[in-house]
Short mmCIF file of all heavy atoms in Angstrom, two decimals:
data_model
loop_
_atom_site.label_atom_id
_atom_site.label_comp_id
_atom_site.label_asym_id
_atom_site.label_seq_id
_atom_site.Cartn_x
_atom_site.Cartn_y
_atom_site.Cartn_z
N LEU A 22 0.81 -1.21 0.00
CA LEU A 22 0.00 0.00 0.00
C LEU A 22 0.85 1.26 0.00
O LEU A 22 1.93 1.31 0.59
CB LEU A 22 -0.93 0.00 1.21
CG LEU A 22 -2.15 -0.91 1.07
CD1 LEU A 22 -2.75 -1.22 2.42
CD2 LEU A 22 -3.19 -0.26 0.16
N LYS A 23 0.33 2.28 -0.66
CA LYS A 23 1.00 3.55 -0.80
C LYS A 23 0.22 4.64 -0.07
O LYS A 23 -1.00 4.55 0.04
CB LYS A 23 1.14 3.92 -2.28
CG LYS A 23 1.83 2.86 -3.12
CD LYS A 23 1.79 3.23 -4.59
CE LYS A 23 2.44 2.17 -5.44
NZ LYS A 23 2.38 2.51 -6.88
N PRO A 24 0.89 5.68 0.40
CA PRO A 24 0.19 6.75 1.11
C PRO A 24 -0.93 7.39 0.28
O PRO A 24 -1.97 7.77 0.84
CB PRO A 24 1.30 7.77 1.41
CG PRO A 24 2.53 6.94 1.49
CD PRO A 24 2.35 5.86 0.45
N GLU A 25 -0.73 7.52 -1.01
CA GLU A 25 -1.74 8.12 -1.86
C GLU A 25 -2.99 7.27 -2.01
O GLU A 25 -3.98 7.72 -2.59
CB GLU A 25 -1.16 8.46 -3.24
CG GLU A 25 -0.60 7.26 -4.00
CD GLU A 25 0.90 7.10 -3.82
OE1 GLU A 25 1.39 7.41 -2.71
OE2 GLU A 25 1.57 6.69 -4.77
N GLU A 26 -2.94 6.07 -1.48
CA GLU A 26 -4.11 5.19 -1.53
C GLU A 26 -4.96 5.30 -0.27
O GLU A 26 -5.91 4.53 -0.09
CB GLU A 26 -3.67 3.76 -1.78
CG GLU A 26 -3.07 3.59 -3.18
CD GLU A 26 -2.51 2.22 -3.46
OE1 GLU A 26 -1.82 1.66 -2.58
OE2 GLU A 26 -2.75 1.71 -4.57
N THR A 27 -4.61 6.24 0.58
CA THR A 27 -5.46 6.56 1.71
C THR A 27 -6.81 7.06 1.20
O THR A 27 -6.88 8.01 0.43
CB THR A 27 -4.81 7.63 2.59
OG1 THR A 27 -3.64 7.10 3.20
CG2 THR A 27 -5.77 8.09 3.69
N ALA A 28 -7.86 6.42 1.62
CA ALA A 28 -9.19 6.75 1.13
C ALA A 28 -10.23 5.95 1.88
O ALA A 28 -9.91 5.04 2.64
CB ALA A 28 -9.28 6.45 -0.37
N VAL A 29 -11.47 6.31 1.66
CA VAL A 29 -12.57 5.47 2.10
C VAL A 29 -12.85 4.47 0.99
O VAL A 29 -13.05 4.86 -0.16
CB VAL A 29 -13.83 6.29 2.42
CG1 VAL A 29 -14.98 5.37 2.81
CG2 VAL A 29 -13.55 7.28 3.54
N TYR A 30 -12.85 3.22 1.34
CA TYR A 30 -13.08 2.17 0.37
C TYR A 30 -14.51 1.67 0.49
O TYR A 30 -14.97 1.32 1.58
CB TYR A 30 -12.09 1.03 0.58
CG TYR A 30 -10.71 1.35 0.08
CD1 TYR A 30 -9.93 2.32 0.71
CD2 TYR A 30 -10.18 0.70 -1.04
CE1 TYR A 30 -8.67 2.64 0.24
CE2 TYR A 30 -8.91 1.01 -1.51
CZ TYR A 30 -8.16 1.99 -0.86
OH TYR A 30 -6.90 2.30 -1.33
N PHE A 31 -15.19 1.64 -0.63
CA PHE A 31 -16.60 1.27 -0.67
C PHE A 31 -16.80 -0.03 -1.42
O PHE A 31 -16.22 -0.25 -2.49
CB PHE A 31 -17.43 2.36 -1.36
CG PHE A 31 -17.45 3.67 -0.64
CD1 PHE A 31 -16.52 4.66 -0.95
CD2 PHE A 31 -18.40 3.93 0.33
CE1 PHE A 31 -16.54 5.88 -0.30
CE2 PHE A 31 -18.43 5.15 0.99
CZ PHE A 31 -17.49 6.12 0.67
N CYS A 32 -17.64 -0.85 -0.87
CA CYS A 32 -18.09 -2.05 -1.57
C CYS A 32 -19.28 -1.69 -2.45
O CYS A 32 -20.14 -0.90 -2.06
CB CYS A 32 -18.48 -3.12 -0.55
SG CYS A 32 -19.04 -4.67 -1.27
N ASN A 33 -19.31 -2.26 -3.62
CA ASN A 33 -20.37 -1.97 -4.57
C ASN A 33 -20.97 -3.25 -5.13
O ASN A 33 -20.25 -4.21 -5.40
CB ASN A 33 -19.83 -1.10 -5.72
CG ASN A 33 -20.83 -0.94 -6.85
OD1 ASN A 33 -20.68 -1.52 -7.92
ND2 ASN A 33 -21.85 -0.12 -6.61
N ALA A 34 -22.26 -3.24 -5.28
CA ALA A 34 -22.96 -4.33 -5.93
C ALA A 34 -23.90 -3.74 -6.97
O ALA A 34 -24.72 -2.89 -6.65
CB ALA A 34 -23.75 -5.16 -4.92
N ARG A 35 -23.75 -4.19 -8.18
CA ARG A 35 -24.60 -3.70 -9.26
C ARG A 35 -25.18 -4.89 -10.01
O ARG A 35 -24.43 -5.75 -10.49
CB ARG A 35 -23.82 -2.79 -10.21
CG ARG A 35 -24.66 -2.23 -11.36
CD ARG A 35 -23.91 -1.14 -12.11
NE ARG A 35 -22.68 -1.65 -12.71
CZ ARG A 35 -22.61 -2.27 -13.88
NH1 ARG A 35 -23.72 -2.48 -14.58
NH2 ARG A 35 -21.45 -2.69 -14.34
N LEU A 36 -26.49 -4.89 -10.12
CA LEU A 36 -27.15 -5.96 -10.83
C LEU A 36 -26.69 -5.96 -12.28
O LEU A 36 -26.66 -4.92 -12.94
CB LEU A 36 -28.66 -5.79 -10.76
CG LEU A 36 -29.51 -6.88 -11.41
CD1 LEU A 36 -29.34 -8.20 -10.69
CD2 LEU A 36 -30.98 -6.46 -11.43
N LEU A 37 -26.32 -7.10 -12.75
CA LEU A 37 -25.85 -7.23 -14.12
C LEU A 37 -26.89 -6.67 -15.08
O LEU A 37 -28.05 -7.04 -15.04
CB LEU A 37 -25.57 -8.70 -14.44
CG LEU A 37 -24.91 -9.01 -15.78
CD1 LEU A 37 -23.53 -8.37 -15.85
CD2 LEU A 37 -24.81 -10.52 -15.98
N GLY A 38 -26.45 -5.74 -15.92
CA GLY A 38 -27.34 -5.11 -16.87
C GLY A 38 -27.92 -3.79 -16.41
O GLY A 38 -28.56 -3.10 -17.20
N SER A 39 -27.72 -3.45 -15.15
CA SER A 39 -28.23 -2.19 -14.61
C SER A 39 -27.16 -1.12 -14.67
O SER A 39 -25.99 -1.39 -14.38
CB SER A 39 -28.69 -2.37 -13.17
OG SER A 39 -29.74 -3.30 -13.09
N PRO A 40 -27.52 0.10 -15.01
CA PRO A 40 -26.53 1.18 -15.09
C PRO A 40 -26.14 1.70 -13.72
O PRO A 40 -26.87 1.53 -12.74
CB PRO A 40 -27.26 2.26 -15.90
CG PRO A 40 -28.70 2.05 -15.55
CD PRO A 40 -28.86 0.56 -15.43
N SER A 41 -24.98 2.34 -13.67
CA SER A 41 -24.54 2.96 -12.44
C SER A 41 -25.54 4.04 -12.02
O SER A 41 -26.05 4.77 -12.86
CB SER A 41 -23.15 3.58 -12.61
OG SER A 41 -22.19 2.58 -12.91
N GLY A 42 -25.80 4.13 -10.74
CA GLY A 42 -26.73 5.11 -10.24
C GLY A 42 -28.18 4.67 -10.24
O GLY A 42 -29.05 5.41 -9.78
N SER A 43 -28.44 3.50 -10.74
CA SER A 43 -29.80 2.98 -10.75
C SER A 43 -30.17 2.45 -9.38
O SER A 43 -29.36 2.40 -8.46
CB SER A 43 -29.94 1.89 -11.81
OG SER A 43 -29.28 0.70 -11.39
N LEU A 44 -31.42 2.04 -9.24
CA LEU A 44 -31.88 1.48 -7.98
C LEU A 44 -31.25 0.12 -7.70
O LEU A 44 -31.31 -0.37 -6.57
CB LEU A 44 -33.40 1.36 -7.97
CG LEU A 44 -34.18 2.67 -7.99
CD1 LEU A 44 -35.67 2.39 -8.05
CD2 LEU A 44 -33.84 3.50 -6.77
N ASP A 45 -30.63 -0.46 -8.71
CA ASP A 45 -29.95 -1.74 -8.54
C ASP A 45 -28.44 -1.57 -8.49
O ASP A 45 -27.69 -2.48 -8.84
CB ASP A 45 -30.35 -2.69 -9.67
CG ASP A 45 -31.79 -3.12 -9.57
OD1 ASP A 45 -32.23 -3.45 -8.45
OD2 ASP A 45 -32.48 -3.15 -10.60
N ASP A 46 -28.00 -0.42 -8.07
CA ASP A 46 -26.59 -0.11 -7.86
C ASP A 46 -26.44 0.26 -6.39
O ASP A 46 -26.88 1.32 -5.96
CB ASP A 46 -26.16 1.04 -8.77
CG ASP A 46 -24.67 1.30 -8.72
OD1 ASP A 46 -23.92 0.44 -8.19
OD2 ASP A 46 -24.23 2.36 -9.22
N TYR A 47 -25.82 -0.64 -5.62
CA TYR A 47 -25.80 -0.49 -4.17
C TYR A 47 -24.39 -0.23 -3.65
O TYR A 47 -23.40 -0.69 -4.22
CB TYR A 47 -26.36 -1.75 -3.50
CG TYR A 47 -27.76 -2.08 -3.91
CD1 TYR A 47 -28.01 -2.96 -4.96
CD2 TYR A 47 -28.85 -1.52 -3.25
CE1 TYR A 47 -29.30 -3.27 -5.35
CE2 TYR A 47 -30.14 -1.82 -3.63
CZ TYR A 47 -30.37 -2.70 -4.68
OH TYR A 47 -31.66 -3.00 -5.05
N TRP A 48 -24.34 0.47 -2.53
CA TRP A 48 -23.08 0.83 -1.92
C TRP A 48 -23.11 0.58 -0.42
O TRP A 48 -24.14 0.78 0.24
CB TRP A 48 -22.75 2.31 -2.16
CG TRP A 48 -22.57 2.64 -3.60
CD1 TRP A 48 -23.54 3.03 -4.47
CD2 TRP A 48 -21.36 2.60 -4.34
NE1 TRP A 48 -23.00 3.24 -5.72
CE2 TRP A 48 -21.67 2.98 -5.67
CE3 TRP A 48 -20.04 2.28 -4.02
CZ2 TRP A 48 -20.70 3.05 -6.67
CZ3 TRP A 48 -19.07 2.34 -5.01
CH2 TRP A 48 -19.41 2.73 -6.31
N GLY A 49 -21.98 0.17 0.11
CA GLY A 49 -21.83 0.06 1.54
C GLY A 49 -21.49 1.40 2.15
O GLY A 49 -21.37 2.41 1.45
N GLN A 50 -21.33 1.43 3.45
CA GLN A 50 -21.03 2.67 4.14
C GLN A 50 -19.58 3.10 3.98
O GLN A 50 -19.25 4.26 4.23
CB GLN A 50 -21.36 2.55 5.62
CG GLN A 50 -20.48 1.55 6.37
CD GLN A 50 -20.77 1.50 7.85
OE1 GLN A 50 -21.60 2.25 8.36
NE2 GLN A 50 -20.08 0.62 8.55
N GLY A 51 -18.73 2.19 3.60
CA GLY A 51 -17.33 2.48 3.42
C GLY A 51 -16.50 2.14 4.64
O GLY A 51 -16.99 2.13 5.76
N THR A 52 -15.24 1.86 4.39
CA THR A 52 -14.30 1.60 5.46
C THR A 52 -13.02 2.39 5.19
O THR A 52 -12.53 2.42 4.06
CB THR A 52 -14.01 0.08 5.60
OG1 THR A 52 -13.15 -0.14 6.72
CG2 THR A 52 -13.38 -0.49 4.34
N GLN A 53 -12.52 3.04 6.22
CA GLN A 53 -11.37 3.92 6.06
C GLN A 53 -10.08 3.13 6.00
O GLN A 53 -9.81 2.29 6.85
CB GLN A 53 -11.30 4.92 7.21
CG GLN A 53 -10.10 5.85 7.17
CD GLN A 53 -10.16 6.85 6.04
OE1 GLN A 53 -11.22 7.46 5.82
NE2 GLN A 53 -9.05 7.01 5.33
N VAL A 54 -9.29 3.43 5.00
CA VAL A 54 -7.94 2.89 4.87
C VAL A 54 -6.97 4.05 4.91
O VAL A 54 -7.07 4.97 4.10
CB VAL A 54 -7.76 2.09 3.57
CG1 VAL A 54 -6.29 1.72 3.37
CG2 VAL A 54 -8.63 0.85 3.59
N THR A 55 -6.07 4.02 5.86
CA THR A 55 -5.08 5.07 5.99
C THR A 55 -3.69 4.46 5.90
O THR A 55 -3.36 3.54 6.66
CB THR A 55 -5.22 5.81 7.33
OG1 THR A 55 -6.53 6.37 7.43
CG2 THR A 55 -4.20 6.93 7.43
N VAL A 56 -2.90 4.97 4.97
CA VAL A 56 -1.55 4.48 4.77
C VAL A 56 -0.59 5.60 5.17
O VAL A 56 -0.54 6.64 4.51
CB VAL A 56 -1.31 4.06 3.32
CG1 VAL A 56 0.08 3.44 3.17
CG2 VAL A 56 -2.38 3.08 2.86
N SER A 57 0.13 5.39 6.21
CA SER A 57 1.05 6.40 6.71
C SER A 57 2.41 6.28 6.04
O SER A 57 2.84 5.19 5.65
CB SER A 57 1.20 6.29 8.23
OG SER A 57 1.77 5.04 8.59
#
């Protein structure tokens, strides 16, 4: 891991065939990754 990769990492689930931002595009709350 590199310091520039410090970010909130989100899990995503998208129903096959559904566009991003649709009701079938889901996101988790995110988990913080900090690289010092």
